[in-house]
Amino acid sequence: MDRVSSFDEPLKKLLGGATAKVMAEHLDLHTVGDLLHHYPRRYEERGKLTALADLPLDEHVTVVAQVADARILMFNNGRGKRLEVTLTDGSGRLQLVFFGHGVHKPHKELLPGRQAMFAGKVSVFNRKMQLAHPTYQLLDASDADEATEAVDAFAGRLLPIYPACKQLDSWRIAKAVDAVLPSAQDAVDPLPVSLREGRGFTPLPEALLKVHRPQTKADVEDAKARLKWDEAFVLQVALARRRYADTQLPAVARRPVADGLLDAFDAKLPFTLTEGQEKVSKEIFDDLATEHPMHRLLQGEVGSGKTMVALRAMLTVVDAGGQAAMLAPTEVLAQQHHRSITEMMGELAEGGMLGGSDRGTKVVLLTGSMGMAARRQALLDLVTGEAGIVIGTHALIEDKVQFHDLGLVVVDEQHRFGVEQRDALRSKGKQPPHLLVMTATPIPRTVAMTVFGDLETSVLDQLPAGRSPIASHVVPAKDKPHFLARAWERVREEVENGHQAYVVCPRIGDDAEEAEGKKGKAKKKAAEEDPEKRPPLAVLDIADELRKGALAGLSVEVLHGRMHPDEKDDVMRRFAAGDVDVLVATTVIEVGVNVPNATAMVIMDADRFGVSQLHQLRGRVGRGSAPGLCLLVSEAHEASPARARLSAVAATLDGFELSRIDLEQRREGDVLGQAQSGVRSSLRMLTVIDDEEVIAAAREEAVAVVAADPELEHLPELRTVLAALLDKDREEYLDKG
């Protein structure tokens, strides 16, 4: 068997169909290599009891503990039997419960003093933590042979506790790993010998053995250090190669021109740019002046003035004879950008028109729902070069859209660009255009190096003068219903003071599935029994309740994704004009909506949103001179992680601080966005938040390796591992940079 193929061996050959099927369906493990890279989450020391005090609610856990007592209780007039077992570990207690026919075996085996591993989902019953019907494995078997075997397997060892699922316990995964462990010898080592020896790393086969079957804690540390490096290095090599390939592409250098459009624009600005805006503009102008395409990520807090920086870059390109296109993720946002850019530019946006400036250019809008005549005119302005700036949705990338000379593409809100889209855009320029990607989601440095590693990064972290502070408070609707009543009073007060408010809900409502069928009734009943199971609050229901109740007499409108684009635009225009007091919306208002007169926001079921999303939403208020107010309404229990998240959001306005909290709480999944099939699935040991030094060092090494050998001709093992990492999905994911 050659060295690569033993890792590619399907698990069903070695483990049998049933186990392999569960691993594939529930843990996404398909080959020997997948299982060898399914690392233990933590390790238990033989004889050392787990801290039961900090078990996470609703998670599938594995604990090692001792039985304190066990008793059978009768219920239902003696017809039902229940076995209750109390576990202890010195730090806390945990209850196990078994029902019906399932009580006999554990009743015989789980005697006081016995020690075992237990796996199950943590729930709360009568205010006590419990595991219902856990699976377990005794660690102190009763008969001599079994005892010797158990001691051999566990004594003095660290027990690996694997990420498990309901269908497959940690120790069954451990047995499966034992079956494939011999294949660790065939691991292809991606690290160049000089790097491996220079940093004194353990060989890869040894690292895999140590991570799965460590003899000591030092073994675990040793293995982790090596495996983290592999992941960071291979990923950074992929990104470095992407960056290198981009530097080989030709582009037209776009240099600033004296006394052009940009100078005229700067001269009429009613304020001075912040230091940050000046610094970032310089980085962008330097990139635009080179003869290979700029690939830059511009990240900045909501309202830090990113659009201003992007507009100045676009004007520079127009001055240099090119055209600039700005892509927005939604029509609402494209229309808004078009409005605010034409307002900022004034007569400079009316090039060739009566009353326009002779140094001006035309700024056109192009979206899918435009009328034919307007669309035809916009297309004509682009192909003749009459329009220097175009703002639109992805409709801009369609075949029909031709540019006279496309020099810069600005992508708003990191809705990552597909490889086909990038190619389509490139083909619209005589040479590949420069690219600027903007995001208002603050991204910790390590995530930027990992997810956006093929882009250079600029950060705007100063807010322009004149921005108002936003006060944020958690409203515990369940524990203190009068707080919610007060929240609606506050909204009414803001409106009476001449301002406006947003109310945000997680769902639109009026779903087909809520039709009064069996399903609907069952859901209703479940929700009544357990409020945790109720569906998230919906825009249509809340708007209706507010019109009839707490906000009766005010003008309350709705905005959501199922509305017709014209309808959406009409509502937004009326809200911007001040004709609507309260806008009840889904997260469609999350990015770019700019109504300075809106000062209050109430977020319903706030615990159902992520930290970064709450921060983004909150950024819609406090955009004018009046202070902003954001109320986070939640029914979550005071001690729950969800409430802790909300308190963190209420406590700080620093988006970078919040993005760190978000990442620590949710780990990589959501922060890496659509990386589900890409970066995230290749990161098993590396945690983007904790391993900043490893990622930064790996990036340096990767850049050096790629500079010396762009095709990796002298590093066949690295090429092999890279090819395995960059299967089709991941390749495409990385290409969306």
Side-chain angles (χ1 to χ4, degrees):
M1 191 184 294
D2 70 41
R3 298 195 319 156
V4 186
S5 64
S6 74
F7 260 48
D8 292 337
E9 192 83 36
L11 285 172
K12 58 175 176 276
K13 274 195 175 175
L14 288 160
L15 304 179
T19 305
K21 188 167 187 267
V22 171
M23 286 193 167
E25 285 176 8
H26 297 280
L27 297 170
D28 197 22
L29 305 175
H30 307 272
T31 63
V32 167
D34 289 344
L35 183 52
L36 284 173
H37 289 302
H38 186 70
Y39 306 128
R41 177 175 285 161
R42 57 191 170 83
Y43 303 84
E44 289 297 352
E45 288 180 63
R46 174 78 180 109
K48 174 177 168 270
L49 300 176
T50 318
L52 296 178
D54 26 300
L55 287 179
L57 199 56
D58 280 341
E59 278 196 27
H60 200 83
V61 299
T62 303
V63 297
V64 177
Q66 196 160 18
V67 176
D69 72 73
R71 57 184 185 279
I72 287 206
L73 303 171
M74 299 300 206
F75 60 93
N76 212 353
N77 291 332
R79 289 198 295 277
K81 252 186 205 177
R82 179 169 86 238
L83 170 65
E84 283 186 3
V85 178
T86 306
L87 303 181
T88 180
D89 69 345
S91 81
R93 296 167 91 76
L94 175 68
Q95 189 137 5
L96 311 179
V97 60
F98 300 86
F99 292 103
H101 299 302
V103 305
H104 305 304
K105 187 167 179 266
H107 189 220
K108 281 194 297 203
E109 293 181 338
L110 299 178
L111 305 171
R114 300 296 288 275
Q115 200 182 11
M117 274 202 289
F118 301 89
K121 193 173 180 183
V122 184
S123 58
V124 168
F125 182 72
N126 276 348
R127 297 195 178 169
K128 285 184 187 162
M129 292 276 216
Q130 73 164 24
L131 301 182
H133 279 284
T135 51
Y136 62 90
Q137 180 177 350
L138 296 172
L139 298 185
D140 47 359
S142 45
D143 81 307
D145 288 348
E146 271 187 61
T148 314
E149 208 174 295
V151 169
D152 285 351
F154 296 111
R157 288 272 186 92
L158 291 166
L159 303 183
I161 306 293
Y162 287 92
C165 61
K166 189 177 168 187
Q167 296 77 2
L168 204 61
D169 306 314
S170 170
W171 50 86
R172 283 172 59 205
I173 295 172
K175 280 186 175 154
V177 169
D178 284 336
V180 302
L181 215 43
S183 297
Q185 294 309 319
D186 300 328
V188 177
D189 198 324
L191 297 190
V193 178
S194 57
L195 170 58
R196 200 163 66 223
E197 289 173 357
R199 290 187 177 262
F201 284 132
T202 306
L204 184 55
E206 193 184 317
L208 288 169
L209 288 172
K210 280 180 170 177
V211 79
H212 288 292
R213 298 295 172 262
Q215 300 293 327
T216 62
K217 286 181 181 172
D219 280 355
V220 175
E221 291 316 307
D222 218 23
K224 279 185 173 178
R226 167 65 218 252
L227 296 167
K228 279 180 181 182
W229 248 91
D230 280 20
E231 287 177 10
F233 179 72
V234 172
L235 183 58
Q236 291 302 335
V237 166
L239 293 165
R241 288 185 75 194
R242 183 77 18 88
R243 286 195 304 275
Y244 177 83
D246 285 339
T247 64
Q248 303 308 297
L249 290 169
V252 179
R254 311 283 178 175
R255 297 183 180 88
V257 172
D259 292 330
L261 196 50
L262 178 64
D263 285 352
F265 175 75
D266 283 351
K268 67 193 278 299
L269 277 182
F271 50 81
T272 53
L273 297 175
T274 64
E275 239 176 89
Q277 285 174 318
E278 294 275 16
K279 178 176 142 287
V280 169
S281 288
K282 184 182 181 317
E283 290 170 351
I284 292 171
F285 292 161
D286 289 350
D287 280 359
L288 289 174
T290 60
E291 291 183 351
H292 61 81
M294 163 171 83
H295 281 110
R296 190 166 281 280
L297 170 70
L298 170 56
Q299 49 168 329
E301 283 288 8
V302 172
S304 57
K306 292 183 302 298
T307 311
M308 173 62 69
V309 168
L311 177 54
R312 294 181 76 242
M314 294 197 284
L315 295 175
T316 302
V317 169
V318 175
D319 275 342
Q323 290 168 295
M326 184 182 227
L327 262 76
T330 64
E331 295 208 351
V332 168
L333 202 47
Q335 285 157 342
Q336 177 129 352
H337 275 316
H338 183 252
R339 270 202 297 278
S340 64
I341 283 174
T342 48
E343 276 165 25
M344 281 198 270
M345 286 177 65
E347 75 282 1
L348 296 173
E350 296 165 0
M353 292 190 235
L354 206 60
S357 161
D358 52 359
R359 279 190 289 189
T361 186
K362 231 179 186 184
V363 178
V364 299
L365 176 69
L366 191 64
T367 61
S369 65
M370 279 169 76
M372 275 312 291
R375 189 178 170 78
R376 204 173 291 126
Q377 184 59 52
L379 291 171
L380 186 65
D381 288 340
L382 285 177
V383 77
T384 59
E386 189 82 11
I389 294 176
V390 57
I391 294 152
T393 54
H394 281 187
L396 277 179
I397 310 171
E398 288 172 9
D399 295 345
K400 292 191 197 79
V401 183
Q402 294 301 323
F403 290 85
H404 177 63
D405 179 12
L406 179 62
L408 169 68
V409 177
V410 178
V411 182
D412 190 25
E413 268 320 310
Q414 118 224 18
H415 285 236
R416 289 176 67 88
F417 233 28
V419 65
E420 323 75 44
Q421 293 161 320
R422 189 190 274 189
D423 287 347
L425 261 177
R426 277 187 177 155
S427 66
K428 292 187 182 301
K430 295 190 174 107
Q431 289 189 331
H434 297 281
L435 177 70
L436 180 65
V437 179
M438 301 198 297
T439 174
T441 307
I443 303 166
R445 177 170 168 259
T446 42
V447 180
M449 283 194 294
T450 311
V451 182
F452 296 99
D454 53 344
L455 300 175
E456 299 300 328
T457 305
S458 294
V459 179
L460 271 178
D461 47 14
Q462 280 172 300
L463 287 188
R467 272 309 169 93
S468 303
I470 304 168
S472 307
H473 303 283
V474 179
V475 177
K478 199 171 180 182
D479 313 342
K480 299 177 179 168
H482 59 286
F483 276 37
L484 182 57
R486 176 70 189 121
W488 299 128
E489 278 172 28
R490 283 291 290 112
V491 169
R492 202 176 262 286
E493 285 164 18
E494 289 297 312
V495 173
E496 280 163 7
N497 289 332
H499 297 300
Q500 293 157 279
Y502 297 100
V503 177
V504 182
C505 305
R507 205 166 51 99
I508 297 173
D510 195 19
D511 305 1
E513 67 176 37
E514 285 171 34
E516 278 301 313
K518 273 185 189 170
K519 234 183 190 173
K521 283 180 181 154
K523 276 194 173 176
K524 242 183 187 167
K525 188 168 183 286
E528 279 159 20
E529 287 168 13
D530 180 2
E532 295 290 307
K533 289 194 179 135
R534 71 160 172 76
L537 293 170
V539 166
L540 300 176
D541 304 341
I542 294 291
D544 212 33
E545 281 173 33
L546 292 175
R547 284 186 192 118
K548 291 174 184 161
L551 302 183
L554 300 186
S555 155
V556 177
E557 295 274 2
V558 300
L559 182 72
H560 57 74
R562 285 211 301 258
M563 288 162 67
H564 186 276
D566 291 349
E567 232 184 318
K568 276 193 266 193
D569 196 41
D570 176 57
V571 171
M572 268 322 297
R573 273 178 196 282
R574 287 189 294 117
F575 188 62
D579 301 337
V580 173
D581 297 325
V582 179
L583 188 63
V584 184
T586 55
T587 53
V588 291
I589 61 150
E590 181 183 348
V591 287
V593 173
N594 185 21
V595 180
N597 191 46
T599 52
M601 175 176 284
V602 181
I603 304 179
M604 308 302 291
D605 274 346
D607 46 280
R608 312 231 183 176
F609 297 97
V611 171
S612 295
Q613 201 171 26
L614 290 170
H615 181 61
Q616 284 280 14
L617 286 165
R618 169 172 64 185
R620 300 301 115 216
V621 296
R623 299 176 77 86
S625 53
L629 172 69
C630 179
L631 301 172
L632 306 166
V633 179
S634 167
E635 289 189 6
H637 190 273
E638 197 171 354
S640 65
R643 274 286 285 280
R645 266 208 326 266
L646 295 183
S647 300
V649 173
T652 179
L653 290 172
D654 180 342
F656 285 92
E657 174 57 27
L658 287 173
S659 67
R660 280 196 83 83
I661 292 168
D662 198 18
L663 198 47
E664 276 162 10
Q665 291 195 336
R666 291 142 66 115
R667 305 315 296 178
E668 278 61 54
D670 297 307
V671 184
L672 298 193
Q674 295 312 307
Q676 298 294 345
S677 67
V679 173
R680 182 189 182 205
S681 55
S682 64
L683 300 187
R684 297 174 191 277
M685 184 61 80
L686 197 70
T687 52
V688 171
I689 196 76
D690 301 324
D691 296 318
E692 186 164 333
E693 284 169 24
V694 175
I695 293 170
R699 182 176 169 124
E700 266 179 49
E701 295 275 10
V703 168
V705 163
V706 171
D709 182 3
E711 294 304 314
L712 309 179
E713 284 171 21
H714 305 294
L715 298 167
E717 290 84 3
L718 178 54
R719 257 204 337 267
T720 301
V721 173
L722 208 53
L725 168 76
L726 297 180
D727 57 29
K728 188 145 174 44
D729 287 351
R730 296 175 189 164
E731 181 79 71
E732 274 181 17
Y733 169 75
L734 283 174
D735 259 325
K736 290 176 185 175

